[in-house]
Amino acid sequence: MPQDVAGLQAVVLQALEDLKAVDVAALDVSQLTSLTSVMVVASGTSSRHVRALAEAARDAAKAAGYPVLGMEGDTTFEWVLVDLVDLVLHVMLPQTRALYRLEDLWSARPRRPTAEQAGDSP
């Protein structure tokens, strides 16, 4: 049974906003993969904040009646993934987010690297 993806996204974004998530981005990845429709990426200010954001989003989705497939993350809470079927949430520390650059990886229009990033700097 298909989910109300817009409703799920609204619930997750509200939970993140309530706990002051940083730099929240919602990406429509429905044309790029059949695994999920929306990917939300957010940052927390500390490991404790990352954990709280992920748990709040998971709990809000569950309370609203959306299925939760699972929550994965390392014990340091640098990066936590919450699988909500048609929406996957990634909550990361800023330095982890900068390293993996998920927004660029899952963007429908990949950004071209600058000369400096490509190693072509003089």
Side-chain angles (χ1 to χ4, degrees):
M1 181 167 116
Q3 291 188 62
D4 170 19
V5 179
L8 173 59
Q9 182 174 332
V11 166
V12 168
L13 294 178
Q14 185 62 56
L16 294 173
E17 182 180 322
D18 289 348
L19 289 183
K20 309 288 190 245
V22 178
D23 197 19
V24 178
L27 308 170
D28 179 353
V29 295
S30 60
Q31 301 300 311
L32 302 173
T33 181
S34 61
L35 298 176
T36 192
S37 297
V38 176
M39 184 174 301
V40 175
V41 184
S43 295
T45 58
S46 67
S47 297
R48 178 174 267 180
H49 191 214
V50 167
R51 179 180 183 178
L53 289 166
E55 289 175 348
R58 176 198 63 197
D59 295 347
K62 191 173 188 177
Y66 295 100
V68 177
L69 288 184
M71 188 166 113
E72 301 282 332
D74 60 21
T75 56
T76 62
F77 293 99
E78 290 182 22
W79 181 352
V80 178
L81 179 144
V82 182
D83 189 343
L84 301 167
V85 185
D86 284 331
L87 185 147
V88 173
L89 169 64
H90 297 271
V91 186
M92 309 168 149
L93 289 175
Q95 60 270 27
T96 305
R97 187 172 177 177
L99 177 66
Y100 289 99
R101 299 174 52 197
L102 291 182
E103 291 95 333
D104 291 343
L105 180 65
W106 285 98
S107 175
R109 291 181 289 158
R111 297 180 195 169
R112 301 190 87 150
T114 63
E116 184 178 313
Q117 290 171 332
D120 295 336
S121 59

